[in-house]
Amino acid sequence: VPVEIVFDQGLGDMFVVRVAGNFLDNTTTASLEYAVHHLSVKVLMVMGHEGCGAIKAAQLPTADIGNEPACLGNLLAGLKQGLN
């Protein structure tokens, strides 16, 4: 669902970063810093949902995560570390 609809805003009126499992990495952090420092964003809101597939996948055995494509495997390994 577009967040602009949820918050009754026009398309493009909100700076939105979507990332699997709400995983905070350098790219996500840099995007948020850009919004604050260059677009004068005053409020940051982190939203999630129930039954997140990324979190479910991060609970797989480490060997299974190792069989995922490299970038996805790194994301899932980072999420798994945060869950443990």
Side-chain angles (χ1 to χ4, degrees):
V1 175
V3 294
E4 291 88 353
I5 292 173
V6 173
F7 291 101
D8 194 27
Q9 298 294 308
L11 294 177
D13 289 344
M14 300 178 75
F15 186 89
V16 179
V17 178
R18 291 180 184 243
V19 60
N22 287 337
F23 187 71
L24 188 62
D25 62 2
N26 288 340
T27 302
T28 306
T29 301
S31 295
L32 296 173
E33 288 177 346
Y34 175 81
V36 171
H37 293 286
H38 293 281
L39 302 177
S40 301
V41 169
K42 293 177 178 60
V43 176
L44 299 176
M45 182 180 300
V46 178
M47 298 178 69
H49 60 96
E50 293 181 9
C52 178
I55 298 301
K56 183 177 179 181
Q59 295 172 351
L60 292 170
T62 303
D64 291 346
I65 291 173
N67 292 329
E68 296 289 347
C71 288
L72 176 57
N74 288 338
L75 173 99
L76 295 176
L79 286 171
K80 185 175 192 70
Q81 184 178 11
L83 294 172
N84 290 335

